[in-house]
Amino acid sequence: MSVPPLADAERFQMLYREHHRWLQQWLRGRVGSSFDAADLAQDTFLRVLGKPRALDDVREPRAWLSRIAHGLVVDKVRRDEVERACLQAIASLPEPEVVSPEARMLLIELLAAIDAMLEGLGARAREAFLLSRLEQMSYPEIAARMGVSLSSVEKYMAAAIRHCYLMRRSLQG
C-alpha cells in the first residue's frame, strides 16, 4: 500500500519546522541583525506560502530557501540605499520645504517601487530614462549629457519604456 502525498499545509509546516531556525541563522550571517534576519526569514516563508505547488519540485530545501532569501536580502539592501539617499535629500531641504514623516515614508515607498521596476534595465537605458523623467531633459539634452548620439538615446528610451510596460503587466496579473 502506498503512502498518500502530504497536503500542501503539512508540507509547508514541515519545511518551516525543519528549516526556519537554520534560515534565520543563515540570514543573520548576511545582514548582521537578528531583527532583520527574523523579518527576512518570515518574508521568505510567506513567499513559499504563496506558491504551495513549488514545494512539489524541491529536492534541496535549504538551497531553495536560501535562493529566495538572497533575493529578499538584495531587495532590502536596495531599499535601504534608496531610503538613505531620500533621507539625505530631505535633510538638505530648507526648513519651509521639509515634509511630514508620513509624506517621507510615502516618498520612500514610491522611490523603492520605481527602483524595483527599473531593476534589470541596462545602466545606460536606466540613466537615460531617469534623466528624461526626473530631470525633464529632452532627448538631445540627454544625448549631450551622456555623450552619445540622439539615436542611442531613442533606443535607450524605447528599451526603458518597454521594460516598464512589461514590468507593469507582470505586476497586474
Side-chain angles (χ1 to χ4, degrees):
M1 182 173 183
S2 68
V3 177
L6 294 173
D8 291 341
E10 291 171 333
R11 287 187 302 164
F12 176 81
Q13 289 172 355
M14 186 181 341
L15 181 75
Y16 187 90
R17 263 192 323 272
E18 292 177 2
H19 302 289
H20 180 264
R21 184 174 298 152
W22 168 84
L23 181 63
Q24 197 166 337
Q25 288 301 109
W26 183 86
L27 283 162
R28 186 167 180 244
R30 274 132 197 95
V31 298
S33 162
S34 296
F35 298 112
D36 288 342
D39 286 345
L40 289 165
Q42 289 303 107
D43 290 347
T44 300
F45 281 101
L46 282 174
R47 290 267 172 103
V48 170
L49 194 57
K51 304 182 233 177
R53 295 281 83 178
L55 289 170
D56 294 342
D57 300 323
V58 175
R59 301 290 172 250
E60 297 292 331
R62 289 187 175 180
W64 184 62
L65 289 169
S66 63
R67 191 169 41 254
I68 295 168
H70 174 73
L72 293 171
V73 169
V74 170
D75 291 347
K76 180 186 178 350
V77 168
R78 290 175 62 101
R79 180 182 163 72
D80 289 350
E81 289 172 359
V82 167
E83 184 172 353
R84 197 169 18 264
C86 183
L87 292 174
Q88 285 176 341
I90 290 171
S92 68
L93 290 174
E95 187 64 36
E97 295 179 29
V98 173
V99 296
S100 71
E102 296 83 12
R104 188 178 313 144
M105 289 313 298
L106 289 173
L107 181 59
I108 290 168
E109 290 293 325
L110 177 61
L111 290 172
I114 291 169
D115 184 62
M117 183 173 270
L118 295 178
E119 183 180 345
L121 190 59
R124 303 293 273 173
R126 181 183 182 120
E127 180 182 359
F129 182 79
L130 291 173
L131 290 171
S132 169
R133 297 304 192 246
L134 298 181
E135 297 188 27
Q136 289 87 40
M137 293 176 73
S138 68
Y139 286 15
E141 290 170 327
I142 295 169
R145 167 84 70 87
M146 294 178 66
V148 297
S149 68
L150 181 60
S151 66
S152 291
V153 172
E154 291 168 345
K155 289 176 190 172
Y156 295 149
M157 289 300 294
I161 292 167
R162 183 173 43 257
H163 177 81
C164 289
Y165 174 74
L166 292 173
M167 290 299 295
R168 183 173 165 207
R169 285 192 62 204
S170 72
L171 292 173
Q172 290 176 341

